[in-house]
Structure formats: C-alpha cells, structure tokens
C-alpha cells in the first residue's frame, strides 16, 4: 500500500512525498491504522526503520482534522524524548510533515534560556516536543498546561521509563488527563519496562517487528580484541586508511571522549566530540559539522546513542563496550538507517570480556568475531607509535628551539641593559 492510498489529509501526503517516502516502512504500515483509530500502542521496531514518521503522520492527521472543526487552544499532543538533539530532530520531522496543515508544534529542552520558550508557549501550540527535565520545570511553574492533552508519546520509551527519567515522568502523569491516547516507541524493551508501560495505559496494542534479532539487518557488526592502551592506534589507523568514512565513535565517559580526541590529535588526526559537559551551542555545532560531513569523525558518549538520525553514517565504533545489550543495539543503530547499509566494530579489551559475554547472551546470538593476526596487530601498533614518536620528537625539538631562542633573547636583553 502506498501513502497515497492512506485515509489521511492531502496536505500531509504532499509533504510525505516531498520527503521522498513512497511506501510506508513495516512499522509505519502496522502502527498508523491503530494510531488513527485512537488506540494505545507499544511499538517495538529496529533502529532506523522510520518509527518517528510512524507516530508523526497519524498524529498530524488527527489534530489537523480536529482543527478544521474547532480552533481549540492548548497543547493536544506531548512527545517526550531523552536528549536535546533527539527532541529537536523529532520536531524537524513534525515541521516538515505539517507544512500543509493547520497544526503547530514547538520544542523545549534544557541547556538554554527559559524565557523565549515561555513566550512562545504563551502564544499557544498544538504539539509540544520536550525533554523531561525542562518540561517538568515549566509545568511546575505553570507555563505548560497539559490538562487538555489528548495524545502522549514516549519515544525511546524503555529509556524514558528507566531509572534516570521515571520519577520526572511519574510526576508529570499527575498533570496529564488519565483519558488519553498513549504511544510508546523503541527498538528495545525489557519485560520489567513492558509491565511498567502497560500500567500507564488502558488497552495497549503491542506491535513488534523482528524481535529475534534486535540489531537492524542493514548493519554488519563485529567485535575485535584490542587492548585498552592500543585502542587509539587502531582507531587512528582506520581513520588514516579511510579518511572519507563518516564514523561515530562511542566512548564510556566524557573524560575519555576528550582524552581520545587529544590522542588522535597527537597522531595528526582530526575529530570532534559531543557529550553532556559541552554547552548547548557546542553540542549543536558538533552535530551540525558531523551531519554536513564537514567532520568525518565524531566522538560521543551515550547521549548520542538513542534515536539520532544522521544521514550516511558509514561506521560506528564502540571504542569502549557499552554496558548493556540494549545500549549496544542503539549505538550500532546509528548506522544502516532507512535503506542505507552500515558497519559497526567494537573494541574489546581483556577487562571488558565479561561485559562482552553478557551482551552476547542478551542479544540472543554472539557478535561476530573479527580476528586480527598477531602480525597485523603489531604492525598497526608500531606504525602509529612511530608517528606518535615523530610527533613527540617534533614537539620536543620545537620546544628546544623555543627554549634556545628564549635564552638567546634573555642574553641579548641582559647585554642591552648593561
Ligand atoms: P527510528 O526512529 O526507527 O530509528 P527514524 O524515524 O529516525 O528511525 O527514521 C530513519 C530514517 O528513515 C530517517 O532518515 C527517515 O527520514 C527515513 N524514513 C522514514 N520513513 C520512511 C519511508 N516510509 N520511506 C523511506 N524513508 C523513510
Ligand atoms: Mg527513533
């Protein structure tokens, strides 16, 4: 079935076609009719399969139709997402598909001034996309009123209902009408979280696509055994071998992101970082540069693992192993999106073996092993070590020259004084 044949407004169809979408993806095909009927949906489908449009299209239609009949003020739909970047990205999808409708949308997230957000909110909007922290603040202050809410969406639902966010979400529920349509979307879900999700809705329709292998089929992924102190050489080597390859590198912590950046710079390589210690402007700048392909290597923490849809990411590197199979699925899911193909490689050091076994078990099948021969391992290591030494020697020489110049200047000055 083509989008043209859907019982949705022509304006939305026009925008869908402008996006270049001809046929719905599996999850869109399955979820859109249920959402149009006003049902509660828990939808689990692999990364990059178009879950965003699966809720954006029917929501826009439902609200557009309502607006033709009645011009009611107040927020009708709330979409929650875990990070600033993802909230902004979802808002972009709403904007691009709502062009020929009467529906308005707005995005709020932390890290920026509240006042312009309050101002826009006071003008009235239909759809609000938000991260939980800022939303909670604005709701508590009375700037966001959710008493007329009809549709609630949790994107990356399992993450939104997990430890870091659940309290904010539960507090928010007190401000939201119990009679509403609730939609959950994610690529992963655990039994515990599923139960929690069900407790928040009346009669959920569960839609699950390819549950057996949670990793999207467009992604070829493997793990290589590389010691912690050698990882930077292997990454550097790959960056030199494939300078055009758009690569997203995941590390465990913000500090490790910055340290890796320095290590790559010592090898004469360029990269940028994105993590929670950077302010919003820097985060957006990094994301833009990577999106546009001006920067080929982005080093990120897990804040970029969920939902982010950057076109043409060729390669994901788990420089450090993630701490769960779910996180693994989301990280490698930044490549191979839509119809694209992607590759992912994880670096596993001896101290991470236990973690790898756990991820293997929870994925349902072990990640393919990429064997590096002793010879290749040594070669990779030594080739880059040399560069690094040269680099250091260069720096040392430069420092020596600077010292000498300085000494010479000092002598000269002393002489002049005399
Ligand atoms: P998910 O949330 O499932 O990880 P996204 O919603 O971010 O995936 O969509 C992944 C990519 O697929 C996006 O770049 C999006 O534009 C594209 N896409 C979505 N729906 C379609 C469709 N029906 N046809 C072609 N491409 C699509
Ligand atoms: Mg998504």
């Amino acid at each position: 079935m083509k989008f043209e044949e859907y019982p949705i407004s022509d304006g939305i169809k026009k925008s869908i076609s402008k996006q270049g979408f001809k046929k719905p993806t599996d999850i869109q095909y399955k979820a859109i009719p249920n959402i149009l009927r006003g049902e509660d949906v828990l939808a689990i489908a692999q990364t990059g399969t178009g879950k965003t449009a699966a809720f954006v299209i029917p929501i826009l239609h439902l609200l557009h139709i309502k607006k033709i009949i009645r011009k009611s003020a107040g927020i009708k739909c709330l979409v929650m997402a875990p990070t600033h970047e993802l909230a902004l990205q979802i808002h972009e999808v709403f904007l691009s598909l709502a062009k020929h409708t009467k529906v308005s949308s707005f995005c709020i997230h932390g890290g920026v001034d509240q006042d312009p957000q309050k101002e826009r909110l006071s003008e009235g909007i239909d759809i609000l996309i938000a991260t939980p922290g800022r939303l909670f603040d604005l709701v508590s202050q009375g700037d966001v009123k959710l008493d007329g809410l009809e549709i609630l969406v949790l994107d990356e639902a399992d993450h939104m209902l997990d430890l870091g966010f659940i309290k904010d979400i539960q507090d928010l529920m007190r401000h939201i009408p119990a009679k509403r349509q609730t939609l959950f979307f994610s690529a992963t879900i655990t039994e515990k979280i599923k139960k929690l999700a069900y407790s928040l809705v009346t009669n959920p329709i569960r839609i699950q696509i390819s549950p057996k292998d949670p990793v999207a089929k467009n992604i070829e992924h493997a793990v290589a055994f590389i010691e912690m102190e050698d990882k930077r050489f292997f990454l550097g080597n790959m960056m030199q071998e494939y300078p055009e390859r758009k690569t997203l590198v995941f590390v465990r912590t913000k500090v490790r992101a910055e340290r890796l950046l320095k290590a790559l710079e010592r090898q004469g390589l360029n990269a940028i970082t994105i993590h929670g210690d950077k302010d919003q402007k820097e985060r957006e700048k990094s994301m833009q540069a990577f999106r546009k392909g001006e920067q080929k290597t982005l080093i990120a923490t897990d804040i970029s693992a969920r939902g982010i849809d950057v076109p043409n990411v060729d390669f994901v590197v788990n420089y450090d192993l993630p701490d769960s199979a779910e996180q693994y699925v989301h990280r490698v899911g930044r490549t191979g999106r839509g119809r694209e193909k992607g590759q992912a490689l994880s670096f596993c050091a001896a101290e991470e073996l236990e973690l790898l076994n756990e991820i293997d078990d929870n994925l349902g099948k072990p990640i393919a092993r990429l064997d590096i021969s002793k010879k290749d391992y040594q070669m990779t290591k030594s080739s880059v070590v040399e560069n690094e030494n040269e680099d250091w020697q260069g720096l040392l020489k430069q420092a020596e020259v600077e010292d000498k110049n300085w000494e010479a200047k000092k002598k000269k000055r002393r002489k002049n004084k005399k």
Side-chain angles (χ1 to χ4, degrees):
M1 190 153 141
K2 290 188 174 155
F3 277 122
E4 285 149 38
E5 299 156 36
Y6 269 69
I8 51 173
S9 102
D10 286 341
I12 299 172
K13 287 184 193 169
K14 202 166 157 184
S15 303
I16 292 174
S17 132
K18 186 122 194 273
Q19 290 296 302
F21 302 172
K22 293 189 181 68
K23 283 191 330 201
T25 63
D26 288 351
I27 188 64
Q28 290 162 1
Y29 180 77
K30 290 212 167 154
I32 290 174
N34 296 86
I35 300 176
L36 285 174
R37 280 199 291 274
E39 288 160 349
D40 290 336
V41 169
L42 168 69
I44 306 298
Q46 293 168 326
T47 56
T49 55
K51 291 190 285 297
T52 321
F55 61 81
V56 170
I57 292 170
I59 288 173
L60 280 176
H61 175 76
L62 290 173
L63 298 188
H64 176 67
I65 292 298
K66 275 203 176 135
K67 275 213 129 171
I68 292 175
I69 301 165
R70 200 156 43 97
K71 184 187 158 195
S72 67
I75 297 165
K76 291 278 171 289
C77 168
L78 170 66
V79 180
M80 295 216 260
T83 60
H84 309 172
E85 287 77 14
L86 183 54
L88 287 166
Q89 185 184 297
I90 295 168
H91 187 212
E92 285 298 319
V93 178
F94 270 108
L95 287 176
S96 63
L97 295 178
K99 219 170 225 156
H100 307 286
T101 70
K102 296 185 184 306
V103 184
S104 62
S105 58
F106 186 54
C107 177
I108 56 169
H109 57 71
V112 291
D113 196 5
Q114 285 192 3
D115 291 339
Q117 297 182 341
K118 289 182 186 173
E119 206 166 298
R120 177 69 188 86
L121 285 164
S122 70
E123 292 164 15
I125 41 151
D126 303 309
I127 298 170
L128 183 66
I129 301 105
T131 54
R134 176 59 54 93
L135 177 67
F136 190 63
D137 290 346
L138 291 179
V139 167
S140 315
Q141 295 163 26
D143 296 296
V144 170
K145 294 205 174 57
L146 298 170
D147 46 355
L149 198 81
E150 294 174 3
I151 308 172
L152 171 68
V153 184
L154 299 193
D155 195 23
E156 302 298 337
D158 60 328
H159 190 41
M160 301 301 290
L161 296 174
D162 209 352
L163 299 173
F165 290 114
I166 184 65
K167 187 149 185 318
D168 274 349
I169 303 270
Q170 276 165 341
D171 286 341
L172 275 165
M173 289 298 174
R174 289 189 282 121
H175 300 267
I176 298 174
K179 194 173 168 297
R180 54 154 198 272
Q181 184 177 14
T182 310
L183 312 174
F184 302 103
F185 281 83
S186 188
T188 53
I189 191 122
T190 62
E191 280 305 317
K192 195 177 131 220
I193 300 283
K194 209 183 288 170
K195 281 207 184 101
L196 185 55
Y198 284 161
S199 76
L200 297 173
V201 296
T202 32
N203 288 312
I205 306 284
R206 188 166 142 224
I207 300 171
Q208 188 148 2
I209 291 177
S210 355
K212 287 232 173 58
D213 190 354
V215 177
K217 59 180 185 304
N218 301 4
I219 306 164
E220 189 189 318
H221 60 120
V223 58
F225 296 100
I226 300 170
E227 288 319 316
M228 208 47 102
E229 61 272 21
D230 299 333
K231 287 182 174 184
R232 61 187 190 277
F233 304 130
F234 279 83
L235 179 63
N237 206 274
M238 290 192 302
M239 285 168 66
Q240 251 151 4
E241 287 279 322
Y242 299 100
E244 285 309 309
R245 188 157 72 179
K246 205 172 188 178
T247 304
L248 182 54
V249 183
F250 283 105
V251 292
R252 204 172 46 240
T253 63
K254 303 163 200 171
V255 172
R256 282 181 66 76
E258 292 305 321
R259 264 177 40 196
L260 175 57
L261 178 69
K262 293 261 152 57
L264 291 174
E265 280 169 356
R266 285 203 301 272
Q267 296 175 41
L269 293 163
N270 253 325
I272 42 172
T273 58
I274 187 165
H275 51 69
D277 270 356
K278 300 208 137 191
D279 69 34
Q280 187 56 25
K281 277 231 173 71
E282 290 173 303
R283 273 166 74 161
E284 272 169 39
K285 217 173 117 196
S286 291
M287 213 57 209
Q288 270 307 325
F290 189 57
R291 226 173 246 287
K292 287 189 188 147
E294 293 162 359
Q295 273 290 351
K296 294 290 178 195
T297 307
L298 176 65
I299 304 166
T301 55
D302 277 322
I303 62 162
S304 307
R306 289 233 178 204
I308 299 303
D309 185 52
V310 172
N312 312 315
V313 173
D314 304 296
F315 195 41
V316 168
V317 175
N318 281 321
Y319 191 82
D320 298 319
L321 280 191
D323 56 20
S324 70
E326 282 88 32
Q327 210 54 17
Y328 180 86
V329 168
H330 289 280
R331 282 181 177 191
V332 301
R334 294 318 100 207
T335 183
R337 303 187 64 74
R339 267 189 262 284
E340 292 167 11
K341 293 247 179 300
Q343 283 187 315
L345 182 63
S346 301
F347 292 177
C348 179
E351 54 267 52
E352 294 172 298
L353 265 176
E354 211 174 309
L355 207 50
L356 177 64
N357 290 334
E358 212 181 290
I359 293 171
D360 274 344
D361 284 348
N362 290 329
L363 282 179
K365 70 175 183 196
I367 304 166
R369 266 51 177 172
L370 187 127
D371 288 322
I372 305 172
S373 70
K374 267 202 178 126
K375 199 175 137 209
D376 277 350
Y377 195 106
Q378 279 313 322
M379 245 166 65
T380 302
K381 218 173 124 175
S382 54
S383 70
V384 187
V385 168
E386 268 168 24
N387 286 343
E388 198 183 32
N389 279 344
E390 270 170 27
D391 199 357
W392 277 113
Q393 278 165 2
L395 278 175
L396 277 177
K397 262 192 199 127
Q398 214 179 323
E400 264 172 39
V401 173
E402 276 169 9
D403 280 353
K404 270 184 194 154
N405 285 347
W406 189 66
E407 284 296 335
K409 265 190 200 156
K410 240 178 17 187
K411 263 187 199 161
K412 216 175 176 181
R413 243 194 336 242
R414 259 187 237 132
K415 236 186 189 173
N416 286 346
K417 261 191 186 166
K418 276 178 194 165

